């Protein structure tokens, strides 16, 4: 059994990418977009993402420029944070935070009767985050749109891929209609792993490795 | 826009579960299994998991008993670890670790020419882990099967849901054939979020809340 197992991670990735390329066939993505979509499929084994992933005009250039300036990144969950390549981000001078489990955020959410995700998002904006990775919380995405509309934040990148049956799809449609530099996966599907995969591919592009 | 957003997480979950129940319709799962499968669908919005998720006989009883004894849990990635409800696990007297990013694991993997996942798995076994959450690394799953076959570990639960195009499916089929107490999602799909979702539902069952 074990003799046939491929153990080299890079070789596994190369073979996986070849399989994905072959099974997807012709697609509408350009040479910067396709590696992003391919990595999402690699992360999920779900080819639906080839049909649902959408890029706002200029979003990759905006994201890469911000990453090369050493951007502050905010994620909506600790799973997204755990999935991000923090070594590569730090080499570019960037950093990432997630405030949803902060004790003070939880306390104020109870007091104010709003979701912790909303207050965690506001805290990230106050701290100067320019890149937002939202894999789960539609309420965080709606709050970001509200703050952007009010001129309180000008994101360089919003990865908006909440998953679910209540509010997720609507939040992604609102984001894509907002003209912010964003990458979304339309429909119900998405999640932490997808948010991290998209961002990690942009990190590879920005780092040029 | 914001007036219509549902912000109560429990209400969002209830509505989501009703939608999933209605869309899945009749299914082969019993009253302990279905909440597990439903949580996976809730986490992914992917109904394929209703057709791919399989339970070894007695696995839920085995898992719940181990959790109520305060089991040591090992995950293959930090994303799985981040997704697990550690508060609920700790209340049951359990703990969770992930060794894939340990410096000594990385160093020994380079020396020995094996994956970090294999050495991280071995370290968990040495530390007495009885529950294994494998969302990504087929090599970790194959190593666990080898150690179990050699009598070096007797898992109370293996959540075996590696995702991908090279080795993932084979590793899950080998697990399901092993007669270990396991939950698998057959085929290519799986991942960190799925592993955490399955385990979190078992935690709810074990905690009785």
């Amino acid at each position: 059994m074990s003799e046939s197992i491929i153990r080299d991670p890079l070789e596994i990735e190369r073979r996986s990418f070849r399989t994905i390329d072959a099974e997807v066939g012709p697609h509408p993505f350009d040479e910067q977009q396709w590696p992003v979509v391919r990595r999402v499929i690699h992360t999920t084994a779900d080819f639906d993402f080839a049909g649902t992933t959408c890029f706002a005009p200029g979003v990759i250039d905006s994201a890469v420029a911000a990453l090369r300036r050493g951007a502050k990144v905010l994620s909506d969950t600790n799973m997204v944070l755990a999935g991000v390549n923090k070594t590569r981000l730090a080499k570019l001078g960037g950093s990432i935070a997630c405030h949803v489990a902060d004790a003070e955020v939880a306390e104020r959410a109870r007091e104010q009767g709003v979701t912790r995700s909303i207050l965690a998002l506001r805290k990230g904006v106050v701290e100067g985050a320019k890149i937002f990775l939202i894999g789960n919380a539609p309420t965080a995405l709606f709050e970001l749109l509200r703050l952007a509309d009010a001129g309180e934040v000008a994101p360089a990148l919003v990865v908006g891929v909440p998953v679910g049956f209540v509010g997720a799809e609507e939040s992604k449609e609102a984001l894509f209609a907002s003209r912010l530099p964003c990458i979304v996966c339309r429909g119900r599907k998405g999640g932490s792993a997808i948010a991290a995969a998209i961002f990690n591919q942009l990190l590879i592009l920005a780092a040029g490795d």
Side-chain angles (χ1 to χ4, degrees), chain A:
Chain A
M1 181 174 77
S2 61
E3 281 68 30
S4 65
I5 305 170
I6 303 167
R7 292 165 188 276
D8 173 9
L10 286 177
E11 176 58 20
I12 290 172
E13 189 171 282
R14 274 190 298 268
R15 286 196 186 207
S16 302
F17 285 177
R18 278 201 302 269
T19 301
I20 295 167
D21 286 348
E23 293 194 24
V24 165
H27 59 72
F29 301 105
D30 69 26
E31 61 186 9
Q32 289 192 314
Q33 294 167 342
W34 173 240
V36 174
V37 179
R38 186 170 58 184
R39 191 163 292 279
V40 173
I41 298 171
H42 178 252
T43 298
T44 57
D46 189 339
F47 287 88
D48 280 3
F49 289 103
T52 63
T53 307
C54 297
F55 297 80
V59 60
I60 291 185
D61 288 345
S62 172
V64 166
L67 286 170
R68 289 183 178 160
R69 286 192 303 267
K72 284 192 177 179
V73 183
L74 183 78
S75 68
D76 67 336
T77 67
N78 280 310
M79 278 195 86
V80 176
L81 189 145
V84 162
N85 188 326
K86 287 168 286 291
T87 306
R88 193 170 275 136
L89 178 62
K91 277 188 190 163
L92 290 163
S95 62
I96 181 166
C98 173
H99 297 304
V100 77
D102 291 5
E104 52 131 331
V105 165
E107 192 181 323
R108 285 195 291 124
R110 270 191 302 273
E111 287 168 8
Q112 300 178 26
V114 300
T115 70
R116 292 187 300 158
S117 295
I118 288 175
L119 296 183
L121 189 280
R122 285 184 199 159
K123 185 171 175 178
V125 167
V126 168
E127 290 180 351
K130 294 289 180 214
I131 292 178
F132 298 86
L133 311 179
I134 314 290
N136 293 267
T139 57
L141 198 41
F142 281 122
E143 180 67 6
L144 180 61
L145 291 173
R146 191 185 70 79
L147 293 175
D149 200 46
E152 295 185 35
V153 60
L157 167 67
V158 185
V159 176
V161 293
V163 57
F165 298 87
V166 178
E169 193 162 3
E170 296 83 343
S171 74
K172 291 184 281 192
E173 291 304 318
L175 171 62
F176 202 62
S178 73
R179 305 201 156 270
L180 292 179
C182 65
I183 301 173
V184 306
C185 299
R186 301 177 104 147
R188 291 167 164 178
K189 289 181 179 176
S192 302
I194 289 93
I198 290 170
F199 184 67
N200 283 335
Q201 187 60 41
L202 296 173
L203 276 176
I204 290 172
L205 190 61
D209 57 5

